[in-house]
Amino acid sequence: MKKILFPALLSMMLLSACNSADNKSNGSSQSVYEPRNFVEIKHPDWSKNATIYEVNVRQFTPEGTFKAFEAHLPRIKAMGIDIIWLMPIHPIGVEKRKGTLGSEYSVKDYYGVNPEFGTKEDFKALVSKIHSMGMHVIVDWVANHSSWDNNLVKEHPDWYTKTPEGNFQPTPWYDWDDIIDFDYNQPALRKYMTEALVYWVKDFDIDGYRCDTAGFIPTDFWDNARAEMDAVKPVFMLAEWESRDLHKHAFDMTYSWTFFDKMTAVTKDKKSLGGVIEYMAHDVSTFPRDGYRMLFTDNHDMNSWNGNQFANFGGGLQASMVLCTVVNGMPLVYGGQEAGLDHSLKFFDKDLIQWKDHPFYNIYKTLFELKHTNEALWNGSYGGEMIRIFNDKPEQVISFSRSKGNNQVIPVVNYSDKPVTVKLNSKYQKGSYTDLFSKKTVVLKGDDVFTIEPWGYVVLVK
């Protein structure tokens, strides 16, 4: 009896095993081919249509303090800013200091506040005031290096890299003589730095960080630090770097130095528009869909070391401001730009921003209102993909469309110093739009023709 049943039972078991294996194989093979989002962090909801503003506390007011800066918050809020980025707030090293006041990126104490700016209580009050106005605040964090006279130098000399002779050193290959380089092969340093990052989030309620030279530090450090901060509250992280790998687990946004370079290649160096178009093509095709990129016509580094906004963009400055708002990414305003900042601020000494009414303020305000209300311009996957609209003057004119739901924005920018009459291949964009700046109704019928002045622009909105 057993001899008769055993082959049948064995056969059934083998058939069942094969079916199970086939099902498992089919299931796994299907999952292998499913597209996956590269970005795995969750952005804070409030960042989806945000703009960002960089504050140089030292140069912002005659007093150069947190309290004095507070008076500017209503004006900044009214312009349409959502994220306030404060340059480093920590005490500055004295040893090997550059200039009379030193570099804010030479940190003497990661748990302290620069007494020039005020006290910890003043800082906490500023954060509270920013939050009360519906804005958020991130702090510039310098994790790559410290000042020569940071207490860590004596307490933990093994946390620093050394020259072949065994001496402390600035970051290798750079002339940053006022700082010395950390060694992130040391687990104890990683623990210290992560705990310091969490401290300001937990005890002062800041909303995240802009991380200086983020790519000099191992990505796995940032991955873990982000997780530990998110355990306290959802944070927003900006990396001063351009690598896509930082977006996976650590950073919401990275710099787009490349877009700045491609724009100034046209405005300052009189090169072809092709580089700007190539950047946009690569952004659509190669950059993570849900990664944010920060776009700018100025920041503290560019302003102090590479020329001010007028020197870099000349007559093309306003067109570039428009591009930085309508191209995929988050627009940055460096404090003073909206007042027509026309010189390079000193980096190691007092050099006060001259505040005055300027047309740029209202241009930013108009652009940022559109950024907030039209989903096509929202950040990352919240917004619409850039779709090129071909035209018959590709050496002069950038034209494209972004759509999300019932929202659509069509920028047409004459990115050149010559007037142009351009025909758009606009048969797929037919319909009625409002010109953002003139408020006129514009009806696209296909093969539409625009005459645009040098460095001029039209932004059509639906």
Side-chain angles (χ1 to χ4, degrees), residues 20 37 148 188 192 210 265 328 333-334 393:
S20 176
N37 292 327
W148 287 81
Y192 170 89
R210 177 267 188 189
N328 179 44
V333 178
Y334 178 44
K393 298 292 190 303

Side-chain angles (χ1 to χ4, degrees), residues 193-205:
M193 197 63 71
T194 302
E195 289 175 347
L197 286 161
V198 170
Y199 167 75
W200 293 96
V201 174
K202 185 176 181 180
D203 287 26
F204 292 81
D205 199 27

Side-chain angles (χ1 to χ4, degrees), residues 208-281:
Y209 294 95
R210 177 267 188 189
C211 298
D212 188 62
T213 61
F216 286 178
I217 298 162
T219 303
D220 63 320
F221 165 79
W222 294 121
D223 292 347
N224 178 71
R226 171 64 183 258
E228 293 200 27
M229 286 183 280
D230 272 344
V232 176
K233 64 180 284 189
V235 293
F236 183 86
M237 297 291 284
L238 163 62
E240 189 206 7
W241 212 250
E242 207 164 357
S243 301
R244 57 180 290 162
D245 61 312
L246 293 174
H247 286 271
K248 193 172 186 68
H249 296 297
F251 287 94
D252 301 273
M253 185 159 72
T254 52
Y255 273 54
S256 185
W257 294 111
T258 301
F259 192 57
F260 180 95
D261 291 342
K262 297 300 183 184
M263 288 190 297
T264 56
V266 180
T267 59
K268 185 174 69 172
D269 302 330
K270 311 304 179 187
K271 293 184 178 179
S272 164
L273 176 60
V276 177
I277 301 299
E278 181 182 26
Y279 168 87
M280 295 168 70

Side-chain angles (χ1 to χ4, degrees), residues 183-196:
D183 180 3
Y184 274 82
N185 289 317
Q186 305 301 321
L189 168 63
R190 291 178 174 229
K191 182 175 186 292
Y192 170 89
M193 197 63 71
T194 302
E195 289 175 347

Side-chain angles (χ1 to χ4, degrees), residues 367-434:
L367 288 167
F368 295 166
E369 183 178 351
L370 178 65
K371 172 83 175 180
H372 290 145
T373 58
N374 194 296
E375 292 184 31
L377 297 188
W378 286 9
N379 300 318
S381 59
Y382 294 108
E385 181 180 311
M386 296 183 295
I387 305 295
R388 186 176 186 183
I389 299 176
F390 288 91
N391 64 68
D392 65 350
K393 298 292 190 303
E395 72 283 359
Q396 285 182 265
V397 176
I398 305 168
S399 50
F400 61 99
S401 173
R402 296 182 67 186
S403 301
K404 190 75 172 184
N406 296 322
N407 297 273
Q408 188 170 12
V409 175
I410 299 177
V412 184
V413 180
N414 177 13
Y415 210 53
S416 78
D417 59 1
K418 297 179 176 59
V420 67
T421 297
V422 60
K423 180 188 289 188
L424 307 186
N425 182 5
S426 49
K427 59 184 177 182
Y428 296 111
Q429 287 79 33
K430 293 178 181 178
S432 180
Y433 300 83
T434 300

